[in-house]
């Protein structure tokens, strides 16, 4: 006479619950990967905008004349359509000029990607 055997294994409910848990974990992982990719793109754009601002600042130094006031110039970098806004004004002591540059993405109405400020000697 055979003893009743008890088969071991998972029931259908247990398998479905395990699959649901795996699906939730995978969707969270995909979302995190998407956010990381997006923030990596923003960081890249900000870095390129900073380089554009530094280039504009170097151009101003090399020109040797610093016209007081505000001026906007296109300062595209590769695929990024950028606009550099420069503001030049007198510093408190009068012997220096305060130079500020903000770099904006021309395709978006958004805050500046980069800001630079420095003090430069007045040209003679």
């Amino acid at each position: 006479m055979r003893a009743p055997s008890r088969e071991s294994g998972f029931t259908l409910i247990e398998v479905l619950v395990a699959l649901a848990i795996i699906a939730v974990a995978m969707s969270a992982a995909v979302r995190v990967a998407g956010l990381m990719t997006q923030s990596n793109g923003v960081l890249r754009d900000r870095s390129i905008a900073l380089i554009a601002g530094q280039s504009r600042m170097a151009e101003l130094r090399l020109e040797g004349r610093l016209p007081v006031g505000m001026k906007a110039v296109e300062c595209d970098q590769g695929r990024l359509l950028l606009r550099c806004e420069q503001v030049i004004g007198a510093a408190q002591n009068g012997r220096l000029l305060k130079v500020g540059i903000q770099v904006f993405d021309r395709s978006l109405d958004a805050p500046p990607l980069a800001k630079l400020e420095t003090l430069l000697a007045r040209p003679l």
Side-chain angles (χ1 to χ4, degrees), residues 26-121:
M26 292 298 288
S27 68
V30 167
R31 182 170 182 189
V32 166
L35 289 174
M36 288 177 65
T37 302
Q38 181 182 8
S39 72
N40 185 31
V42 170
L43 182 60
R44 180 194 62 234
D45 291 350
R46 286 181 179 268
S47 297
I48 292 172
L50 183 60
I51 291 170
Q54 290 170 337
S55 295
R56 182 64 193 147
M57 189 74 73
E59 288 173 15
L60 288 172
R61 285 184 180 138
L62 290 173
E63 285 175 5
R65 57 182 179 79
L66 299 168
V68 175
M70 182 180 168
K71 182 179 178 183
V73 295
E74 292 180 3
C75 53
D76 298 340
Q77 298 289 315
R79 66 166 187 79
L80 272 181
L81 304 176
L82 300 175
R83 181 181 77 249
C84 292
E85 292 183 1
Q86 68 188 41
V87 177
I88 301 174
Q92 287 181 338
N93 69 2
R95 293 182 308 188
L96 298 174
L97 291 174
K98 182 177 180 180
V99 180
I101 296 178
Q102 294 187 27
V103 184
F104 296 89
D105 187 342
R106 284 192 293 147
S107 61
L108 300 174
D109 185 25
L113 292 171
K115 293 181 182 181
L116 292 95
E117 285 189 356
T118 192
L119 295 172
L120 295 176

